[in-house]
Amino acid sequence: MNMGGGAGLADDGTTSSAVTQFSHAMWRRYQHLLDKSTPLVLYRWIFLAAIALIFALRIYVVQGFYIITYGLGIYILQLLIAFLSPQVDPEIQGLTDGPALPTRGSDEFRPFVRRLPNLSSGHSLTKAFCVALVLTFFSAFDVPVFWPILLFYWLVLFISTMKRQIMHMVKYKYVPFTLGKQRYHKKKAAPTDETNSGRP
């Protein structure tokens, strides 16, 4: 009979519990730092620009990893489309009973609500650049490819996608940027003869 088998199972349970607790504590710390960075919009974008610059320098110095860069470009394009799209698609909204985008000047002002908010887009971009940067340290991902063809494919994809997105914006009359509520100023009424005729 194996008398020590039960002790081994108990050790596995405590080890996995300790790992779970540690990973949960790290996730909470990471989420806390993310929450603290929410009001620091400029610093978040500066950090993203620095990571992107480091990635670009790494690609330039190594002269490789163009497949990683192409994949990153496709992901950035996907995030851009989500950033420019409304949370509720007007095509689908006609089938449901949700609130509609204002289409006339007399409609109530509703700010543009993105499918991918600013904070989430910056966070996703930063993670993508960090993952891509880490992948450039593994030679298995350095697939030899003629990079001008990848650049051409990406430009064609970008132009066709942006054309479709702009046509969608024109068709449903929305702008993906909220500049605040439009204010209309009353024109001063010109004095009429009736008001002046009452004076002697």
Side-chain angles (χ1 to χ4, degrees), residues 128-158:
F129 272 105
C130 288
V131 167
L133 185 62
V134 168
L135 290 178
T136 61
F137 291 101
F138 298 100
S139 61
F141 297 107
D142 190 11
V143 178
V145 67
F146 188 57
W147 67 265
I149 290 178
L150 288 181
L151 180 62
F152 178 73
Y153 285 160
W154 187 84
L155 286 174
V156 167
L157 188 61
F158 176 79

Side-chain angles (χ1 to χ4, degrees), residues 62-79:
V62 175
Q63 293 291 313
F65 297 100
Y66 300 121
I67 287 290
I68 300 292
T69 308
Y70 178 72
L72 179 65
I74 296 295
Y75 184 69
I76 290 171
L77 184 60
Q78 177 206 359
L79 290 178

